Amino acid sequence: MKILVVGGGGREHALAWRLARDPERPEIVCAPGNAGTSSVGRNVAVDAADVPGLVALARAERPDLVVVGPEAPLCAGLTDALAADGFAVFGPTRDGARLEGSKIFCKDVLRAAGVPTAAAERFTDAAAAKAYVRAQGGAVVVKADGLAAGKGVTVCATAAEAEAAIDESLVKGVFGDAGREVLVEECLVGEEVSILGLVDGERVVLLASAQDHKRIFDGDRGPNTGGMGAYSPAPVIADSDLPAIREQVFERTLAELRRRGVTYRGVLYAGLMMTAAGPKVLEFNCRFGDPETQAILPRWAGSVSRALLACAQGRLDASMVSWHPGACVCVVLAAGGYPGAYAKGKVIDGLDAAGALPEVAVFHAGTAAKDGRVVTAGGRVLGVTALGADIRGAVARVYEAVDRIRFEGMQCRRDIAARALKRL
Ligand code: AMP
Ligand code: GLY
C-alpha cells in the first residue's frame, strides 16, 4: 500500500509517522514534508497549495490513498481534482470544505441544522456592523468570512475593540477577499475542546477528545498562535457526553450537508465551547487539528490507513477505531518571537536524546535539513510528544524530553495539560 500525505507541518509528520507503523507497513510519500517526515517516508518537493502539481505527482506515484493535511488545498478543490482521476482521497471536496473556508456558510448550515452555536449576524457594511455591536453591549467576536491564515478571528472585550476589528476587515481590507464580509458573533464563555470525527459520507466515528492551547504564554495569556500544545483525552468531556455531541453536532450537520447535495468524507473537526448551557460549536475545520493530531494519533490502536481508506471509500466501521488507554501530551517548541517575527536557520540540538526516551516522539513542524544538521525553518518548530499511563505521567515524560532539546530563542509553554491536571 502506498500513501501520499499532503502537507509539511507537525500534523503531517504525526500522520506519516503513525501511518508508517500500521500493520500493512505502507510506503509513505510526503508533499512537501519536512525534515521529520523524511525519516518515515520519501519527501517530494511539491507545495501543499499546488493543486495541479499534486495531481501530476499522484499520476506519477499512483498512491492507493491520498491523505490531505491542510485546509487550503481542500478548499481549493484538491480532492475534487484527484477524485476525478479515480484516486481514493481522505479529505472533503471543495463544497464540504466550505464549512471551514466560509464562516458564514458554516453558520448558515449550523442554524439550518439546529446545532447549538453562538448567535451571529453577517455584515458587509461597517456602519451596520458597528451598530449591531453597540446593540449587543460590546463583548463580541468578529470573524472574517474566509481563510485568513488563522488571523481572521478577534475576540473583543469592548465595543471599541470590535469596531477596530470591523474596520480592519471591511474598511482597510487587511484580509483581502477573505474579509469582505464578517460575522459578528456572541462571545461564548467556557472551556474549549476539540472533537474530531471520521466521516465516510454516511457514518461518523468520533476520535478521542483533545484540548489545544492557543495562547503563546502560560496561563493562556498573550496573543493567539497556531497552537502551543495539546493533550488527549480531555477530561472536560466525559465519555457519557459523546453520544449527544455525535447526534446534535455531527449527525445534524452531515444531514444538513446531504440536504444541500454535499457528501462529506474525511475529518470533521468541531471546536466546541463547553458553556453552562451545554456544548456549542465555535467552528468547524475540514481536516485534522494541529497540534491535536500529534496528541491523538499516538493513542490510536489498530490500522489508521485501513480506517482512512475506508472513509475515502464510504465503508467506515466503528470497529476500525480503538484507543490505547492512558494519555498523550504534545508540547510545541516555537522560535523566539513567534507568533510575531522570528528568525530561521537556528541549529537544533538534542533531537536524538529526546527521541530516545521511551514512549516519546519528536514531531517536526518548521524544520529543514542543512549541512547534515536539523535547523529551524518556521514559527512552530517541533511538537514533542509523550504517552503515559495517565496525564500526569505523560506530562512528566514530555517535559523530560523537552529539556533535552535546545535551539537559540526556543520558547514553549510549561503548563500544557494544566486544566486536566487540575481536575485530577
Ligand atoms: P476560529 O478560528 O473560529 O476557531 O476561532 C479561533 C478562536 O477564537 C477559537 O478557538 C476560540 O478561542 C475563539 N472564539 C471563536 N468564536 C468564539 C465565540 N463565539 N466566543 C468565544 N470565543 C470564540
Ligand atoms: N488546533 C487548531 C487547529 O488546528 O485549527
Side-chain angles (χ1 to χ4, degrees):
M1 186 179 195
K2 188 194 259 193
I3 304 177
L4 171 60
V5 176
V6 175
R11 164 184 51 211
E12 287 77 22
H13 186 192
L15 278 164
W17 172 90
R18 182 59 190 78
L19 288 164
R21 294 174 162 230
D22 277 341
E24 296 85 353
R25 297 283 161 196
E27 177 189 351
I28 309 289
V29 179
C30 295
N34 60 33
T37 60
S38 61
S39 65
V40 288
R42 177 160 49 87
N43 289 348
V44 182
V46 178
D47 194 85
D50 177 4
V51 171
L54 291 166
V55 171
L57 177 64
R59 285 181 181 158
E61 293 282 350
R62 311 300 311 170
D64 302 288
L65 173 67
V66 183
V67 178
V68 185
E71 63 278 12
L74 294 168
C75 291
L78 176 60
T79 298
D80 310 60
L82 289 170
D85 259 19
F87 290 106
V89 188
F90 182 83
T93 49
R94 187 202 315 249
D95 53 7
R98 283 182 78 204
L99 279 182
E100 177 165 1
S102 167
K103 295 195 185 288
I104 288 169
F105 173 79
C106 177
K107 189 62 79 175
D108 200 47
V109 168
L110 288 168
R111 272 200 196 128
V115 176
T117 186
E121 290 295 330
R122 58 192 283 186
F123 298 95
T124 50
D125 178 68
K130 291 176 189 176
Y132 178 77
V133 167
R134 285 191 291 274
Q136 300 302 305
V140 294
V141 182
V142 178
K143 300 185 172 183
D145 177 45
L147 291 184
K151 296 189 167 67
V153 174
T154 315
V155 181
C156 309
T158 64
E161 277 176 49
E163 295 193 8
I166 288 165
D167 281 340
E168 294 254 292
S169 197
L170 294 182
V171 180
K172 295 182 194 153
V174 296
F175 305 121
D177 281 349
R180 277 188 208 290
E181 195 162 6
V182 297
L183 208 56
V184 180
E185 200 169 287
E186 166 199 10
C187 195
L188 299 176
V189 181
E191 197 173 325
E192 279 182 55
V193 63
S194 305
I195 301 290
L196 283 63
L198 294 188
V199 181
D200 76 344
E202 284 292 325
R203 285 158 290 261
V204 186
V205 178
L206 298 190
L207 302 184
S209 62
Q211 190 170 57
D212 188 7
H213 298 62
K214 296 199 193 228
R215 305 298 191 106
I216 183 79
F217 298 129
D218 285 14
D220 294 324
R221 290 174 302 108
N224 263 325
T225 69
M228 292 300 292
Y231 62 92
S232 172
V236 63
I237 288 236
D239 285 346
S240 57
D241 296 330
L242 290 175
I245 288 173
R246 196 192 133 89
E247 196 284 313
Q248 292 170 19
V249 174
F250 288 85
E251 300 284 6
R252 287 184 194 178
T253 299
L254 294 165
E256 177 60 26
L257 286 180
R258 278 195 291 272
R259 263 196 290 282
R260 297 173 184 229
V262 178
T263 303
Y264 193 101
R265 294 205 172 102
V267 170
L268 181 59
Y269 162 139
L272 302 177
M273 188 72 93
M274 304 304 284
T275 75
K280 295 191 179 182
V281 173
L282 291 170
E283 59 159 344
F284 277 132
N285 294 321
C286 61
R287 48 159 179 90
F288 281 108
D290 189 342
E292 288 94 329
T293 303
Q294 292 86 313
I296 292 173
L297 282 193
R299 299 190 55 223
W300 190 325
S303 171
V304 176
S305 36
R306 183 163 162 255
L308 301 194
L309 183 62
C311 257
Q313 296 175 334
R315 45 176 193 78
L316 180 65
D317 185 292
S319 70
M320 293 174 179
V321 182
S322 59
W323 303 98
H324 293 298
C328 187
V329 176
C330 170
V331 176
V332 170
L333 306 187
Y338 175 82
Y342 54 83
K344 294 183 185 177
K346 304 293 180 194
V347 172
I348 304 172
D349 285 315
L351 288 170
D352 291 341
L357 287 167
E359 308 282 11
V360 166
V362 180
F363 297 123
H364 292 227
T367 65
K370 192 181 167 199
D371 306 330
R373 311 287 311 257
V374 179
V375 300
T376 68
R380 291 191 292 171
V381 176
L382 298 166
V384 182
T385 304
L387 287 159
D390 55 20
I391 288 277
R392 204 188 301 280
V395 166
R397 194 173 271 155
V398 81
Y399 281 109
E400 192 186 339
V402 164
D403 290 336
R404 293 184 174 194
I405 298 177
R406 278 199 170 54
F407 57 86
E408 193 186 315
M410 176 178 127
Q411 54 169 340
C412 70
R413 281 182 60 161
R414 303 296 311 191
D415 68 342
I416 300 302
R419 283 207 167 90
L421 292 175
K422 216 190 254 172
R423 281 174 193 273
L424 290 179

